[in-house]
Amino acid sequence: MKWIQIWLLGLLFFSFQVSAKDHFLIGFSQCSSGDWRDNMEREMKRELMFENDMSLIVKYAEDNANLQIKQINQLVKNGIDLLIVAPIETEAIQPLVEEIYKKGIPVILIDRKINSSHYSAYVGGDNLAIGNAAAIYIADQINHKGNVIEILGALSSSPAQERMNGFQEAIASEKGIHLVKRLYANWNNQMVLDSLPLILKEFTDVNAIYAHTDFLAAAANAVVKAQCPDKDIKIIGVDGSPGPGGGIELVEDGVITATLIYPTGGKQAIEIAGRILRNKPFNKENLLPTTVIDKNNVKITRLQYNNIEILQNDIERSQGMLELLGGKFRKQQVMLWVLLVFFALVIVLIILLYIALKNKNLANHRLEKQKEAISLQNQELKEISEQLEEATQSRLRFYTNISHEFRTPLTLIIGPLDNLIKNKGLDAHLKQELSVMHRNAVRLLRLINQLMDFRKIEMKKMTLSAGNYDLINFLKGIKESFYEMTHQKGIHLDVEASQPRLMMWFDWDKLDKVMFNLLSNAFKFTPNGGSIKIKVSLISEDQEQVCIEVEDNGEGIAKDYLDKIFDRFFQVEHPGGFVGTGIGLTLSRELIALHKGKIEAESTLGIGTVFKVYLPLGSAHLNQYEMIDVGQNQMRHDQAVISEFNDTISIETDKEHNEENSFLSEEEKPVLLIVEDEPDIRQYIKSCFNERNFLILEAENGSEGYKKVEEEGPDMIISDVMMPVMDGLELTHKVKNDIKYCHIPLILLTAKSSLDHMMEGLEEGADGYIPKPFNKEHLQLRVRKLLENQRRIQDKYQDSLMVKREEKGINRIDKKFLAELRAIILQDRSDAKVNVEDLSAKVGMSRVHLYRKIKKITGLSVSEFVNSTKLKEALILLRNTDKNVAEIAYEVGFSSPSYFTRCFKDAYQMSPSAYREQSVS
C-alpha cells in the first residue's frame, strides 16, 4: 500500500517538473488612457513577442491616484517580478513606489518621474529638451519677437514641470519674446475653453501658444478660431501621436502649427525589464530624443508610421499563428499526461478496492465484539447514573436542612440591624457599615429562600395559589419598586403594553419572584445609563396567550450558553468571575412551568438580552385547588425584598453620585491631571471631581507630571507648588513655554498664600492660583470656568462667517503659532494636497501633537482648519480681484472649482458668485 502511494506521488511530481518552466510576470500601471498611451502599450506587446519568458499585466488608473495605488497593491499581491509604472501624481504614488522598491521588486518609471532615487530605471521623453525645442521653434516662427502664452498640464506630474522649465530656460535667452501668461489647465480641455478667451481679451497681441499636449493645443485652436480668426497665432503641441485625432493628424489638417514627438518608451521599457530580470547591465536614466513635426516633414512622418503599422500587423498575425500551434501542442501534451495519470489511478484503485474488501470483513468482526462491550457499558452507566441521582438528592436534602437552620440566626441578625439603622442619632459612618451588614444578611436570606423553593419544586410539593389580577398594574408596581435602582444607575425602566388593563390568572408571589430574578439579572448586566423594557403583548390568532418580555441593552450572552442558562447551578462566565448561584433562572423556569407557561431567551453579544415569558389566558389550564378568591385583599409583591435590593444599589453608588452632572462618554470626558506629592491630599483633590465626568490622571511630582502631559495631553492640570524632583513653578514654566502644551489650563495649589508667591505663579503662566486650605466648590468652579472658556474659544473658531476675528482668550504663544500656521498654508495654497504630515514637518511638531493642539485651540481638525484658512483667502480674492471662480479655486489650492464651490456654500451659505455680487453692491 505504501509503495503504491510513493509511486503515484513520484509520477505526479515528475509530470509537474516536466511541465514547469521559468517565467517572469511584469505588472504595468498606466496612469490614464488615450491614443499616445495605446501606442506605448502596443510597443510593449510588440517587444514581448521576442521574449518567451515574460508576460505583461496592464492596469489603467484613469487619472485617479487612489485607484492607481489600489491597482499597484493588487499587482504586488499577484506576485509580479517587476513593476512598470507611469505615476499620476508624484507625491501620492512616490511612497508606494519606494516601499515596493525596498521590498526587492524592481521598479521602472515610464513617462513620469518621482522625487526620489528609490527606483531601478526611468524611461521617457526628455521633457526639458521638449520644452527647449518648443521655445526654439516658436522663436524661429515669429522671428524672435512677440508674445507667447503657455498652457500647462498638472504640475503635480514631472512631465509638466520639466516641459515648463525647459521652455522657460530657452525663452529667457530670447530678449524679444515675452511669456505673457501661463494657463494652469491641469490636462483639462475645459479649463482651456473656459479661461483662454479671457486671456486673449486681456492680451490682444499674442503671436504663439505653447500647449503641453496636442489635445490642449487643439482646444486652444478652437478658442483662437472662434475669438480671433484673422490672426496668425502659431500653436505648438506635444505628443505627436499618429492615431486619429493625434498630433500628426492635427498638423496635417492645419489645426495646429507643429507638434513635438514625445516618445512612448514602451519598447525600451521592456528591453530594460529583460536586462534587469536576467541580471544584465542597464542604464538607470534613459531619456528619449524628440523632434519637431510641422508641415515640412509631416508627410514623411506619416508614411513612416504607416509602414510601422503594416509591419506591426504582420508580426501580430505571425505571433497569432505561433500561439495557435503552440496551444495545440500543449493540449496534446496535457492529454497525454492526463491519460497516463488516469491509467495509474485505475491500477491504484483496483488494488485499494481489493484491500478494502479484505478489511471490511475484519471490521465487521470487530464491530460485533464492540457492540457487546457497549451494551455492557450502557448497563453500568445506567447504574452509575442512578447512584449519582441518589447522591444529588441526598446533597439537596442536606442543603435544605442546613437552610432551615440558617433562618433562625439570620432573623436574629436582621431584626436588631433594622432597629440600629433606624436610630436617627447614629453616626453616618457607622450607619453605612451597618447598612452593608444588613444588605448582605438579607441577600443571604434570599438565597436560602430560593434554595428552599427549589427543593420544594424538586420534591413536587410546590403548588399554585393563582388569583385573577390585573397584569399591567402588577408590572407597574414592580417598576415602581425598582425606582431607586433606576435613579442611582441612570437606567431607563419602562412598561410597554398594548392595552391599559389585562385581567388574568396567576400566582402573584411566584410571578413576582420570576420578574424579580429577570430584572435583577437585567440590572446586573446593563451598564449605567442603559435601558430596560418590560413589554406585554397578546399572541396567537385567538389571543390565548400573553407574552411578557424583559429586554435590556447590556453585554449579552454568548450563543454557546443560551441553551444552558436555565440548567440548575449553571453560571455564565463573566469578566469579573462567575456571578450568582446558578439557580435563579432554573427556579424561574419551574415557577413558569407551574403556570403551564414557558420561558425562553434571545441574546446578542454587545447588544443585549431578551427574556420572554409565555402565560396562558383564562383559567381552563388550572385545577380548582390552584385558584384562590382574591376579593378585597389582593396580595402585593414583596416590597421588602425589592427595597433591600434598591438599598444595595444606593449604598454602592452614593460615592459616585456626589455631583449632579449628567453622564459623559469616555471621548467627551475632560482629562484632568493632578500633580501632588502627598497621597492623602491628592486623593482629596480627586474626590472633588466626579469620575463619571472626568478622566483623572495622577502624578507624584512635576517631573512625572510633565511626562504625563507628553503622553496623555490633558485638558486641565492641577498642581501643587512645593514638590520634590520638580516643583510646580518649574512644571508651569515648562508647560506654558512649550508650543505643544501652552494651551492647557493650569491651576496651582500651595500653602504659600502671599501676594508675592501668587504673582510668581501667575508670572510663569498659571491660569489660576488657589491657596491651601482651599474650598472644594471654589476649585470645582475654577476648573469648570476654565474649561468653558476653552470651549468658547473653540466655538468662536468654528464660526466660519467671521472673516476677521479678535482672538481674545488665547495666549501670546498660541496666537503666534496660529499666525505662522496660516502663513505656511497660504504659502503652499496652490497645493490641493496639504495634509497633517506636511504641516507637522514644517512647524517642527509631531503629527499627533499638531492635531491635538489645533483641536484644543480651535475645535477644528487639521483639514477643517486648512480649508477655513483657504476659504478666507478666497474671500479676499473675490472682493479685490477680477479673477473668475475657477482661477481662484485653483489659486487657493482646491482640486476643482466644483469642490471649491461646495465648500464655500457649506461655510458661508452662499455661492462664490453671490458673495462677489453682494460685496460689490
Side-chain angles (χ1 to χ4, degrees):
M1 182 70 181
K2 186 174 181 181
W3 67 267
I4 293 173
Q5 294 176 348
I6 295 173
W7 176 76
L8 181 59
L9 289 172
L11 181 64
L12 291 173
F13 179 76
F14 176 72
S15 65
F16 174 77
Q17 288 295 104
V18 170
S19 61
K21 61 180 180 180
D22 291 334
H23 192 81
F24 299 111
L25 182 61
I26 300 174
F28 177 34
S29 175
Q30 181 64 281
C31 62
S32 62
S33 58
D35 181 60
W36 184 85
R37 298 195 178 276
D38 290 343
N39 288 335
M40 178 191 294
E41 185 180 342
R42 293 189 66 186
E43 284 189 15
M44 289 183 175
K45 292 181 177 178
R46 183 168 64 240
E47 187 64 23
L48 282 170
M49 293 177 183
F50 307 102
E51 306 288 349
N52 294 327
D53 58 348
M54 294 193 299
S55 59
L56 184 70
I57 302 176
V58 183
K59 298 288 185 181
Y60 301 94
E62 301 300 342
D63 296 315
N64 187 323
N66 291 329
L67 178 59
Q68 186 170 40
I69 291 171
K70 182 179 179 180
Q71 290 176 343
I72 292 174
N73 283 322
Q74 186 60 48
L75 288 172
V76 173
K77 288 182 180 178
N78 290 342
I80 59 173
D81 300 291
L82 181 141
L83 174 65
I84 301 175
V85 57
I88 293 175
E89 297 177 1
T90 300
E91 292 186 2
I93 307 302
Q94 178 172 321
L96 181 58
V97 170
E98 292 179 332
E99 178 185 346
I100 294 171
Y101 177 78
K102 291 176 182 177
K103 286 181 178 179
I105 300 176
V107 178
I108 297 177
L109 300 176
I110 189 166
D111 174 34
R112 300 182 178 188
K113 298 180 179 179
I114 62 174
N115 298 323
S116 169
S117 61
H118 292 136
Y119 59 89
S120 305
Y122 167 75
V123 178
D126 190 341
N127 286 292
L128 284 170
I130 288 173
N132 269 273
I136 293 170
Y137 181 81
I138 288 173
D140 291 340
Q141 291 294 312
I142 63 175
N143 297 320
H144 303 276
K145 183 178 181 181
N147 296 324
V148 180
I149 294 173
E150 182 179 6
I151 302 177
L152 288 81
L155 291 182
S156 59
S157 64
S158 60
Q161 295 175 357
E162 292 178 352
R163 290 175 191 179
M164 178 186 72
N165 294 337
F167 185 76
Q168 183 176 358
E169 178 184 335
I171 286 295
S173 63
E174 296 287 341
K175 302 300 183 181
I177 297 177
H178 303 287
L179 180 59
V180 297
K181 186 69 176 179
R182 281 198 176 103
L183 173 57
Y184 296 90
N186 199 29
W187 311 122
N188 190 332
N189 280 11
Q190 193 60 44
M191 283 295 297
V192 177
L193 298 174
D194 292 342
S195 301
L196 186 57
L198 299 176
I199 296 173
L200 291 176
K201 286 182 180 179
E202 182 180 358
F203 302 97
T204 57
D205 55 346
V206 174
N207 303 99
I209 297 174
Y210 163 49
H212 280 202
T213 62
D214 290 331
F215 64 83
L216 292 176
N221 178 72
V223 174
V224 169
K225 279 189 174 181
Q227 190 160 329
C228 41
D230 299 332
K231 290 187 178 181
D232 181 22
I233 299 177
K234 308 297 182 183
I235 301 176
I236 291 83
V238 178
D239 279 347
S241 298
I248 293 177
E249 183 178 288
L250 294 175
V251 173
E252 288 175 331
D253 296 342
V255 175
I256 61 176
T257 307
T259 181
L260 286 94
I261 292 290
Y262 186 44
T264 67
K267 176 179 182 300
Q268 292 82 355
I270 297 300
E271 288 178 347
I272 294 172
R275 288 183 168 276
I276 292 174
L277 293 172
R278 299 185 187 98
N279 296 319
K280 292 183 179 181
F282 63 93
N283 293 327
K284 183 167 184 174
E285 301 296 330
N286 302 272
L287 298 177
L288 306 177
T290 186
T291 186
V292 177
I293 298 175
D294 58 10
K295 63 183 179 180
N296 297 320
N297 59 357
V298 67
K299 291 184 179 179
I300 296 174
T301 305
R302 171 62 75 185
L303 181 62
Q304 290 175 340
Y305 274 116
N306 289 342
N307 290 333
I308 292 172
E309 185 70 21
I310 293 170
L311 291 173
Q312 171 73 19
N313 292 335
D314 291 341
I315 292 172
E316 288 178 355
R317 284 199 299 272
S318 300
Q319 181 71 13
M321 291 298 298
L322 288 173
E323 290 180 355
L324 181 62
L325 293 173
K328 290 181 178 179
F329 172 75
R330 286 191 293 272
K331 287 181 181 179
Q332 293 172 353
Q333 189 179 38
V334 169
M335 287 298 298
L336 177 62
W337 282 108
V338 168
L339 289 173
L340 288 174
V341 172
F342 179 75
F343 179 70
L345 288 174
V346 169
I347 295 173
V348 172
L349 289 173
I350 292 172
I351 296 171
L352 292 176
L353 182 61
Y354 171 75
I355 296 172
L357 290 172
K358 187 176 180 180
N359 289 336
K360 181 182 178 182
N361 294 329
L362 293 173
N364 287 336
H365 181 67
R366 293 194 195 97
L367 285 173
E368 288 295 330
K369 290 186 175 180
Q370 289 176 358
K371 185 177 179 181
E372 294 176 3
I374 290 172
S375 297
L376 292 174
Q377 289 176 358
N378 286 339
Q379 185 63 32
E380 293 175 359
L381 287 173
K382 185 177 180 181
E383 293 175 359
I384 293 172
S385 178
E386 291 174 353
Q387 292 172 4
L388 288 174
E389 181 63 25
E390 178 61 28
T392 300
Q393 292 299 325
S394 298
R395 283 196 296 271
L396 284 174
R397 285 192 294 271
F398 171 76
Y399 293 147
T400 303
N401 294 335
I402 289 294
S403 298
H404 278 287
E405 295 297 326
F406 282 157
R407 291 177 67 87
T408 300
L410 281 173
T411 303
L412 295 174
I413 293 172
I414 293 172
L417 282 174
D418 276 334
N419 295 331
L420 288 172
I421 292 172
K422 292 176 181 176
N423 187 348
K424 295 183 179 180
L426 194 65
D427 178 72
H429 177 71
L430 181 57
K431 185 174 183 179
Q432 185 177 14
E433 291 185 343
L434 291 173
S435 297
V436 172
M437 296 166 62
H438 177 270
R439 181 177 67 245
N440 285 280
V442 174
R443 184 175 297 171
L444 180 58
L445 179 59
R446 187 189 312 117
L447 294 175
I448 291 170
N449 288 337
Q450 284 187 346
L451 188 58
M452 293 178 67
D453 287 340
F454 187 75
R455 178 58 178 164
K456 284 183 183 178
I457 292 173
E458 288 282 317
M459 299 300 293
K460 309 296 183 185
K461 292 183 178 181
M462 181 170 282
T463 58
L464 285 181
S465 296
N468 194 19
Y469 305 114
D470 179 5
L471 179 64
I472 307 302
N473 184 54
F474 165 78
L475 294 175
K476 287 182 177 178
I478 289 181
K479 173 192 172 184
E480 293 301 322
S481 299
F482 278 84
Y483 169 78
E484 185 65 24
M485 190 190 316
T486 59
H487 178 71
Q488 295 293 342
K489 295 193 71 176
I491 293 176
H492 180 71
L493 174 62
D494 198 12
V495 177
E496 297 179 1
S498 58
Q499 53 195 62
R501 181 178 174 85
L502 178 60
M503 300 301 296
M504 65 175 293
W505 289 84
F506 61 89
D507 187 321
W508 188 293
D509 179 61
K510 292 177 178 57
L511 190 58
D512 176 82
K513 291 177 180 178
V514 172
M515 295 306 300
F516 175 79
N517 271 321
L518 297 182
L519 287 171
S520 296
N521 283 331
F523 273 94
K524 189 183 300 180
F525 297 106
T526 299
N528 291 353
S531 67
I532 300 172
K533 294 180 182 178
I534 304 173
K535 299 179 181 178
V536 182
S537 59
L538 297 173
I539 60 173
S540 79
E541 294 181 0
D542 299 328
Q543 296 187 341
E544 297 173 348
Q545 278 188 320
V546 64
C547 176
I548 306 171
E549 298 181 43
V550 177
E551 177 183 349
D552 66 68
N553 63 347
E555 58 192 57
I557 303 171
K559 290 183 179 179
D560 295 341
Y561 296 141
L562 271 179
D563 57 344
K564 301 175 183 177
I565 59 175
F566 294 106
D567 296 346
R568 60 183 178 182
F569 308 127
F570 178 78
Q571 298 167 303
V572 177
E573 189 172 353
H574 189 265
F578 289 97
V579 178
T581 60
I583 64 173
L585 289 177
T586 305
L587 180 62
S588 297
R589 182 186 61 183
E590 297 299 334
L591 294 176
I592 294 300
L594 286 174
H595 286 80
K596 308 301 187 293
K598 65 176 181 178
I599 182 172
E600 58 187 34
E602 299 174 0
S603 185
T604 304
L605 280 177
I607 296 178
T609 304
V610 181
F611 284 90
K612 295 182 179 180
V613 175
Y614 297 93
L615 296 174
L617 292 172
S619 59
H621 59 287
L622 299 173
N623 295 318
Q624 192 64 36
Y625 65 86
E626 292 178 322
M627 296 187 292
I628 62 172
D629 184 13
V630 178
Q632 298 299 319
N633 298 316
Q634 176 174 319
M635 289 181 61
R636 292 293 181 264
H637 51 296
D638 187 0
Q639 293 286 349
V641 174
I642 300 297
S643 297
E644 176 278 325
F645 191 85
N646 289 336
D647 290 342
T648 300
I649 299 298
S650 178
I651 293 297
E652 292 175 350
T653 59
D654 276 347
K655 294 179 180 178
E656 301 174 0
H657 209 68
N658 291 329
E659 295 179 19
E660 296 180 357
N661 295 335
S662 59
F663 291 106
L664 294 175
S665 67
E666 291 298 317
E667 293 78 7
E668 295 173 326
K669 291 180 181 179
V671 179
L672 175 61
L673 173 61
I674 300 173
V675 188
E676 170 63 62
D677 58 326
E678 289 291 338
D680 292 339
I681 299 178
R682 191 167 64 245
Q683 184 59 35
Y684 175 67
I685 297 173
K686 183 178 179 181
S687 70
C688 294
F689 298 95
N690 193 331
E691 293 191 50
R692 293 179 178 178
N693 299 295
F694 287 89
L695 289 175
I696 300 178
L697 308 175
E698 300 180 49
E700 295 183 354
N701 54 62
S703 177
E704 183 182 334
Y706 191 72
K707 290 179 182 177
K708 289 286 179 71
V709 171
E710 292 179 317
E711 294 169 358
E712 304 293 342
D715 298 281
M716 170 67 66
I717 303 172
I718 299 175
S719 174
D720 187 19
V721 172
M722 300 291 292
M723 292 182 296
V725 185
M726 180 191 293
D727 63 25
L729 293 176
E730 187 178 352
L731 172 63
T732 304
H733 179 81
K734 291 193 69 172
V735 169
K736 290 300 182 179
N737 287 276
D738 192 323
I739 194 170
K740 297 189 293 294
Y741 313 119
C742 61
H743 61 277
I744 302 174
L746 188 148
I747 295 175
L748 287 175
L749 300 175
T750 182
K752 295 181 177 180
S753 57
S754 68
L755 181 61
D756 291 341
H757 292 130
M758 186 178 298
M759 293 297 293
E760 185 180 6
L762 296 175
E763 184 67 28
E764 294 294 345
D767 299 277
Y769 191 99
I770 300 177
K772 296 177 183 177
F774 59 87
N775 178 270
K776 173 182 176 181
E777 286 74 17
H778 180 202
L779 179 60
Q780 291 172 340
L781 180 62
R782 291 300 299 273
V783 169
R784 187 173 74 250
K785 288 299 182 182
L786 286 172
L787 291 174
E788 287 175 356
N789 184 53
Q790 193 175 56
R791 282 193 292 271
R792 280 196 298 272
I793 294 172
Q794 293 174 358
D795 293 340
K796 178 185 66 177
Y797 269 91
Q798 291 173 9
D799 180 10
S800 301
L801 287 173
M802 295 294 292
V803 177
K804 185 175 181 181
R805 304 187 180 98
E806 293 183 4
E807 298 180 336
K808 294 180 180 179
I810 306 178
N811 63 49
R812 175 183 52 81
I813 297 177
D814 284 344
K815 286 182 181 178
K816 182 179 178 182
F817 167 74
L818 290 176
E820 292 175 353
L821 194 60
R822 291 194 196 96
I824 292 172
I825 294 170
L826 294 177
Q827 182 181 356
D828 299 333
R829 61 188 178 186
S830 60
D831 184 2
K833 299 293 183 181
V834 177
N835 53 36
V836 185
E837 287 75 11
D838 297 333
L839 292 177
S840 61
K842 291 178 180 179
V843 300
M845 188 182 295
S846 74
R847 181 181 181 278
V848 173
H849 282 135
L850 177 63
Y851 183 87
R852 283 180 178 173
K853 187 166 187 69
I854 294 178
K855 191 69 174 178
K856 293 294 183 184
I857 298 175
T858 68
L860 303 174
S861 66
V862 176
S863 60
E864 290 170 340
F865 183 80
V866 171
N867 274 355
S868 173
T869 301
K870 290 182 176 181
L871 286 173
K872 285 187 286 183
E873 183 68 12
L875 291 177
I876 298 173
L877 294 174
L878 286 168
R879 289 199 310 270
N880 302 324
T881 70
D882 295 330
K883 295 180 179 180
N884 61 37
V885 173
E887 288 178 309
I888 291 174
Y890 287 112
E891 183 171 343
V892 299
F894 283 86
S895 58
S896 68
S898 60
Y899 177 60
F900 166 72
T901 301
R902 186 166 66 252
C903 293
F904 195 96
K905 285 182 177 179
D906 290 341
Y908 304 111
Q909 289 75 51
M910 65 178 71
S911 67
S913 302
Y915 176 82
R916 170 171 277 172
E917 292 175 2
Q918 185 184 59
S919 62
V920 170
S921 61

